[in-house]
Amino acid sequence: KSAAALKPGGRLAVVSTHHVAGGTSQFFADMQSYYEKYDPTTPPGLVLEPASAIPCEFDESPLFKEPTFSRYEWEVTYTAQEYLDVLYTYSGHRALDAQARDGLFSALRRLIDENHGGHVTKRYMTQLAVAHVR
């Protein structure tokens, strides 16, 4: 559908953002046990990967030429409340039942406040994929 909406030679740009290794690394390692406790969909032993390990993906289509990829890494420092506010926007967190979400968020707040001075830094990698219509 996107190829049909574009003029000949037009371009489709797809932006994706990934949470990658970096920032307050110890916090993200420590929080894994809380996710395993409160969120049954959490894979055991999950660890963040470096940005270089995230594959460059674009759905193959004969309607588009080979895409080009650009990547940007960046970090944001959050207070405990700001971090929880961000997490609440993620569908996986919103899908948790209220008791599990409250337990998880309480545990993460304590971890941030008690072990990380009240703030954490999260590293992101944003990827831009651009493909021209054939």
Side-chain angles (χ1 to χ4, degrees):
K1 291 182 181 181
S2 55
L6 296 169
K7 295 178 181 179
R11 289 173 265 182
L12 174 65
V14 178
V15 176
S16 60
T17 300
H18 307 268
H19 180 193
V20 296
T24 311
S25 300
Q26 191 58 51
F27 167 73
F28 295 106
D30 292 344
M31 74 179 200
Q32 176 63 22
S33 63
Y34 296 116
Y35 272 89
E36 290 177 15
K37 178 179 179 180
Y38 292 106
D39 183 355
T41 66
T42 299
L46 183 67
V47 296
L48 291 172
E49 296 182 336
S52 61
I54 306 295
C56 290
E57 295 181 318
F58 193 89
D59 290 341
E60 290 184 28
S61 169
L63 303 174
F64 290 96
K65 296 178 183 176
E66 188 71 23
T68 58
F69 295 92
S70 300
R71 291 178 159 205
Y72 308 92
E73 293 183 50
W74 48 288
E75 294 183 344
V76 178
T77 299
Y78 298 101
T79 65
Q81 186 58 54
E82 290 168 339
Y83 186 68
L84 297 177
D85 289 346
V86 168
L87 291 184
Y88 194 73
T89 68
Y90 298 164
S91 58
H93 292 88
R94 293 180 65 84
L96 288 173
D97 70 63
Q99 185 176 3
R101 186 175 49 248
D102 290 347
L104 174 62
F105 283 18
S106 293
L108 295 179
R109 179 186 297 280
R110 278 192 313 278
L111 184 60
I112 293 169
D113 287 339
E114 295 173 10
N115 296 35
H116 298 282
H119 63 275
V120 292
T121 300
K122 186 173 181 178
R123 187 166 188 81
Y124 297 93
M125 185 274 293
T126 298
Q127 177 176 270
L128 170 65
V130 180
H132 291 261
V133 174
R134 289 194 187 273

